Amino acid sequence: MQYNFDEIIPRRGTNCVKWDSMESDDVLPMWVADMDFHTAPAIVKALQQRVAHGIFGYTHVPDAYYEAVTNWFARRHQWQIQREWMIYIPGVVPALSAIIKALTVPGDKVLIQTPVYNCFFSSIRNNGCEIVTNPLLNANNTFTVNYDELEKKASDPKVKAMILCNPHNPAGRVWTREELTRIGEICIRHGVTVIADEIHCELVMPGHTYTPFASLSEEFLHHSVTCLSPSKAFNIAGLQIANIVCADAGMRAKIDKAVNINEVCDVNPFGVIGTIAAYNEGEEWLLQLLDYLHRNYMYMKTFCTERLPQFPISTLEGTYLVWMDCRALHMPSEELEQVLTREAKLRLNAGTMYGAEGEGFMRWNIACPQSVLSEGLKRFENFVTRR
């Protein structure tokens, strides 16, 4: 079956964060990370059948759920997850907060690699821990790890964990086996547990391969915790479902306790049904989505090269989030976000949302029909031309 990702689907008036939080209806939102595409028809059908039942009580998570998740990762990523390693939870952010609560005490330190997903900061601070940054190196429109600095900061005995974003948001990197191995070896050498946020793991561009951090070795498996969800890849964030994967029984018991302390131990029936349908029946839809996202990226890359050469974008290896260098405007990112919204009627994310290293950059969400992406780029171009 051929899926139509060019279709314009009105989202205003649906209580949509992306579209309905705009002050004006003429603002084009290309910011928060959800997609303007219908999700896989198999998911919609499964949800419709569940709705037709008409009763929405407390949910038991069936064997079929665990089988769908484990079979998917074994088939697509050659990682055999055991059912007993899994803890279901309403989202990756609650998962991160519970894991940090389980593995640290207030005053401990947690490493992150900036610029990085903004909720990492709040999850660390909300647990009374200190943020330690290992800023990524940015050169030639791509990002790499500063291993010497990582080694130095991981050696601090107060650093208990590192949140690894794999693939990385907003840098767009899909870390290679070699890079992950080097990161893991440093962390294990210094007793630092790796918390791998792999929510974007299915969103990988051609020529790149997602490698689950925990799949690299038994040692890595038992010194890490992985957070997974179908929400980004299948555009079902509102169904609120995710999984924590932890092979170490002692660590898993601590995390399970923290999940219950944080009162995030229950999920809703639609998240369960949606996950089963996504992993059992959504693969062909996903493959076509990835092809479309890659074409969108190539369209944006060509547009910027030819018409916005002073605003280079980082190479996109994974996610649908493009990192643009806007330093040529000599305007703070937060101010630029406001001015673009007001004058260009275009909403992007300010780079400083992802740490101080994001100053001068903006994040674009290109998971939309290409006609919408084209309109957004033209609005940005017209804005730049007028200044």
Side-chain angles (χ1 to χ4, degrees):
M1 179 179 179
Q2 193 67 31
Y3 301 103
N4 181 15
F5 296 100
D6 287 318
E7 180 184 2
I8 304 293
I9 303 166
R11 298 186 66 189
R12 284 195 174 93
T14 62
N15 297 319
C16 167
V17 169
K18 185 176 184 179
W19 288 83
D20 286 332
S21 59
M22 299 296 98
E23 293 183 1
S24 173
D25 285 350
D26 58 355
V27 174
L28 183 62
M30 301 186 72
W31 61 299
V32 68
D34 73 7
M35 300 190 282
D36 290 328
F37 307 127
H38 273 139
T39 190
I43 297 175
V44 176
K45 181 179 178 181
L47 294 175
Q48 288 171 335
Q49 290 173 343
R50 182 63 183 84
V51 168
H53 182 259
I55 300 177
F56 313 111
Y58 296 116
T59 295
H60 166 71
V61 178
D63 292 343
Y65 176 87
Y66 295 96
E67 291 167 1
V69 175
T70 57
N71 289 343
W72 176 272
F73 279 88
R75 183 177 72 254
R76 279 188 59 85
H77 305 301
Q78 295 72 58
W79 183 27
Q80 189 62 63
I81 299 170
Q82 302 300 317
R83 171 179 173 156
E84 60 267 24
W85 301 349
M86 294 172 56
I87 301 172
Y88 55 77
I89 193 167
V92 165
V93 174
L96 292 172
S97 293
I99 294 165
I100 293 169
K101 179 184 285 291
L103 302 184
T104 67
V105 296
D108 283 344
K109 299 178 181 180
V110 180
L111 264 168
I112 56 174
Q113 295 177 302
T114 49
V116 74
Y117 180 48
N118 53 294
C119 286
F120 288 6
F121 297 87
S122 56
S123 290
I124 295 168
R125 292 192 184 108
N126 289 346
N127 280 288
C129 293
E130 180 181 337
I131 296 166
V132 178
T133 62
N134 169 223
L136 297 174
L137 301 174
N138 184 9
N140 302 316
N141 298 326
T142 194
F143 289 81
T144 54
V145 177
N146 185 336
Y147 295 105
D148 290 339
E149 186 185 69
L150 177 60
E151 182 91 50
K152 179 181 178 181
K153 291 186 173 178
S155 68
D156 181 344
K158 290 189 71 65
V159 172
K160 303 300 182 182
M162 171 183 171
I163 307 179
L164 171 70
C165 199
N166 175 40
H168 194 283
N169 165 26
R173 281 299 317 278
V174 176
W175 303 116
T176 65
R177 295 180 68 88
E178 292 73 23
E179 288 170 317
L180 292 173
T181 297
R182 196 166 174 185
I183 291 168
E185 288 174 346
I186 290 172
C187 288
I188 289 172
R189 186 156 54 244
H190 297 289
V192 175
T193 301
V194 174
I195 306 168
D197 173 1
E198 301 189 351
I199 194 172
H200 292 276
C201 66
E202 307 303 336
L203 299 167
V204 175
M205 297 293 110
H208 301 278
T209 302
Y210 153 70
T211 302
F213 177 85
S215 71
L216 287 168
S217 72
E218 281 292 313
E219 189 176 27
F220 279 32
L221 175 66
H222 288 278
H223 285 83
S224 67
V225 185
T226 303
C227 299
L228 302 167
S229 174
S231 62
K232 296 301 179 188
F234 291 96
N235 202 27
I236 54 173
L239 300 189
Q240 296 188 315
I241 191 78
N243 293 289
I244 298 169
V245 180
C246 181
D248 183 87
M251 197 187 314
R252 188 169 64 250
K254 292 180 181 179
I255 294 169
D256 188 58
K257 181 178 179 180
V259 167
N260 282 271
I261 290 172
N262 284 1
E263 301 290 359
V264 286
C265 50
D266 291 320
V267 291
N268 71 78
F270 304 110
V272 173
I273 293 296
T275 297
I276 294 170
Y279 287 153
N280 286 348
E281 305 176 71
E283 190 164 10
E284 179 54 37
W285 179 90
L286 176 64
L287 294 175
Q288 292 184 36
L289 167 72
L290 293 176
D291 179 66
Y292 193 90
L293 291 175
H294 182 247
R295 282 187 276 127
N296 268 4
Y297 164 62
M298 295 306 295
Y299 177 88
M300 183 173 183
K301 183 178 179 180
T302 299
F303 189 103
C304 292
T305 299
E306 295 178 354
R307 297 164 64 170
L308 294 166
Q310 68 274 47
F311 299 93
I313 60 175
S314 296
T315 300
L316 189 68
E317 300 177 358
T319 82
Y320 48 70
L321 305 164
V322 176
W323 193 240
M324 175 183 275
D325 186 342
C326 297
R327 288 176 290 184
L329 289 171
H330 305 290
M331 186 184 301
S333 291
E334 290 186 10
E335 180 183 348
L336 179 56
E337 178 185 307
Q338 296 171 359
V339 174
L340 279 171
T341 303
R342 184 175 64 249
E343 298 182 11
K345 305 302 180 183
L346 174 67
R347 174 73 187 277
L348 305 177
N349 281 122
T352 44
M353 186 176 185
Y354 311 101
E357 292 75 19
E359 183 59 88
F361 292 80
M362 302 297 287
R363 192 189 77 167
W364 292 68
N365 176 351
I366 65 168
C368 57
Q370 195 167 106
S371 60
V372 176
L373 172 59
S374 176
E375 174 63 23
L377 289 167
K378 289 174 183 175
R379 291 187 187 195
F380 186 85
E381 180 185 31
N382 291 336
F383 170 80
V384 170
T385 301
R386 292 194 304 267
R387 299 196 73 79

